[in-house]
Amino acid sequence: MEVLKSALNWYAALPSTVMIMIGIFLVGIVLARLKVLNALKSSIYVAAGMIGLSTMTGMFAGAVAPVLTSVISATGLKLDVIDLGIGSFQSSVAFPLSFYAILLPIGLGVNLLLIFAKLTNTFDVDIFNYFVWSLSSGFVFVKTQNLLLAILAFVVTEIVSLKLADLTAPAIAEAYGLEGVSIPHGNTIVFAPVGILVNWVVEKIPGLRNINWSPEKIEERFGGLVQPSTIGFVMGVVLGIVGRQPFGSTVSLGLTAAAFMIIFPKVLGILIEGIQPVADGMRAVTEKHLNRKLYIGLDGAILVGMPDVMATGILLVPVVLLLAFILPGNRVLPMADLAIACPFLVAACLPYCKKNIFRGFLSGIIVFVIALYVCTATADSYTAVAAMNGMAFESTSTSLGGSSTWVSWLVSLVFGIFG
């Protein structure tokens, strides 16, 4: 038993990209029936792609952070729950849980059981997604001190995420060409229903339904002069002006946003090149033996750099700050996660909004009203979990990108009744 526990702890301590590489390699060998060298190549490409995506998002968030600090200072926002970012989620809330290591094999076992029971078509190989689901466990455990209830909360969150991933995979494939891939990421996929609802409502309203701000339509309208890189540059410059940055910093922010728009698709291409042979092989094997196709579950980060998603995210930044100021009962001061949470949380809405930035923007307003209230409602539990793990924050805290999932909040409410 001690050997198994040590092995699980060792695996849980690995960097997420290493976990992804191992997962893709094993899927390539076992499920896709690839040759060893081909499976190794695919796993390296996917892991390299994820590193590239993470580097790009980190670069953008780092460039925007000084601007946001300036804007927050200028607006005089005084709220008592501090957004410490996804880093606090990883280092103080999820990974240090005393039972975190057992959630990984339980999550994998549940995923396989659901596949064989034909209750899901998603096989999640991205361990980061399991980490997101563990937030429910932390919330429930700090309320109930009951390990069984905490594990059940994790499983319920996993099932909801996998089902949403199944339902949204066709729309994501149609919008972005990501065939054989689904997104069971608990912070991204849970907001897809908002995009579905907003798109349905807009389609019923004359005038609004004719507004089309898709990158393709904008490029067509301006004769190819306006491309995603131009959109990124202009929006970055506008954000710099709003943040009262010096000329050089403002132009630099525009260039950073443009670079994101230019480089992200190329990095994504590396990931797709790696995942495609595994997805094709797994589809062939599962169609033959299970009479159906399976999706490979990946991180929501693969959607963040799409031109429509990133443009929508940049537009939402000042709106989220405004919402934090005017929403009655909100306690959250958006800070560390704001730059990356804006595109991340709205990413699964855009495929249903026909990649229309206008509809994505409307969806984003609703998404962040929900996110701010959920973070407010869970802030005390979030802070208590960190303290329970021996990593107490100095003030009541949250993560706008990590703790905003309404599924974990709802699960904690239901399971908390038994505490």
Side-chain angles (χ1 to χ4, degrees), residues 256-271:
T256 299
F260 196 106
M261 297 288 200
I262 295 168
I263 299 172
F264 191 96
K266 301 182 187 302
V267 175
L268 183 62
I270 295 172
L271 186 148

Side-chain angles (χ1 to χ4, degrees), residues 53-346:
L53 300 184
S54 176
T55 300
M56 293 299 298
T57 53
M59 175 194 73
F60 179 76
V64 174
V67 181
L68 297 181
T69 301
S70 175
V71 172
I72 290 168
S73 176
T75 55
L77 286 174
K78 297 186 184 300
L79 301 164
D80 69 327
V81 175
I82 308 301
D83 167 27
L84 293 182
I86 199 72
S88 70
F89 185 6
Q90 294 172 319
S91 62
S92 302
V93 175
F95 288 159
L97 285 171
S98 59
F99 53 90
Y100 178 77
I102 68 173
L103 296 178
L104 298 179
I106 289 172
L108 181 59
V110 169
N111 195 174
L112 291 172
L113 181 63
L114 292 173
I115 288 172
F116 286 114
K118 297 185 177 180
L119 295 176
T120 186
N121 293 317
T122 291
F123 183 49
D124 190 346
V125 300
D126 192 327
I127 303 300
F128 192 85
N129 294 333
Y130 293 76
F131 141 72
V132 173
W133 304 334
S134 71
L135 179 65
S136 299
S137 294
F139 285 168
V140 170
F141 190 75
V142 80
K143 286 184 176 182
T144 67
Q145 297 299 305
N146 187 311
L147 180 58
L148 178 59
L149 287 178
I151 292 172
L152 287 175
F154 172 85
V155 171
V156 170
T157 306
E158 175 182 9
I159 292 171
V160 172
S161 299
L162 290 172
K163 293 305 295 181
L164 286 172
D166 289 340
L167 292 171
T168 55
I172 290 171
E174 181 180 354
Y176 303 119
L178 295 170
E179 296 290 343
V181 169
S182 66
I183 312 295
H185 190 287
N187 299 126
T188 301
I189 209 64
V190 297
F191 291 112
V194 175
I196 296 172
L197 177 62
V198 167
N199 191 67
W200 182 82
V201 171
V202 170
E203 284 290 340
K204 304 293 182 183
I205 303 175
L208 281 186
R209 65 185 174 209
N210 296 326
I211 299 175
N212 187 354
W213 293 357
S214 70
E216 293 82 3
K217 194 68 178 179
I218 293 172
E219 186 174 344
E220 176 187 329
R221 171 70 177 80
F222 291 93
L225 294 175
V226 178
Q227 299 180 351
S229 57
T230 312
I231 296 172
F233 177 77
V234 171
M235 296 183 76
V237 167
V238 170
L239 189 59
I241 293 172
V242 171
R244 301 179 182 179
Q245 297 297 295
F247 174 79
S249 298
T250 298
V251 175
S252 179
L253 182 58
L255 290 173
T256 299
F260 196 106
M261 297 288 200
I262 295 168
I263 299 172
F264 191 96
K266 301 182 187 302
V267 175
L268 183 62
I270 295 172
L271 186 148
I272 293 174
E273 185 178 347
I275 205 68
Q276 204 63 61
V278 179
D280 291 342
M282 192 169 75
R283 186 183 302 113
V285 171
T286 55
E287 285 180 352
K288 178 180 178 181
H289 295 285
L290 300 179
N291 197 31
R292 62 198 174 108
K293 66 178 182 179
L294 295 181
Y295 302 115
I296 296 177
L298 292 177
D299 194 306
I302 67 173
L303 302 180
V304 169
M306 300 299 181
D308 51 306
V309 175
M310 181 49 66
T312 302
I314 294 173
L315 281 175
L316 283 169
V317 167
V319 174
V320 174
L321 289 172
L322 177 63
L323 289 173
F325 185 75
I326 66 174
L327 285 178
N330 171 62
R331 297 170 56 199
V332 176
L333 175 63
M335 287 190 69
D337 268 351
L338 182 56
I340 198 59
C342 284
F344 222 107
L345 268 58
V346 80

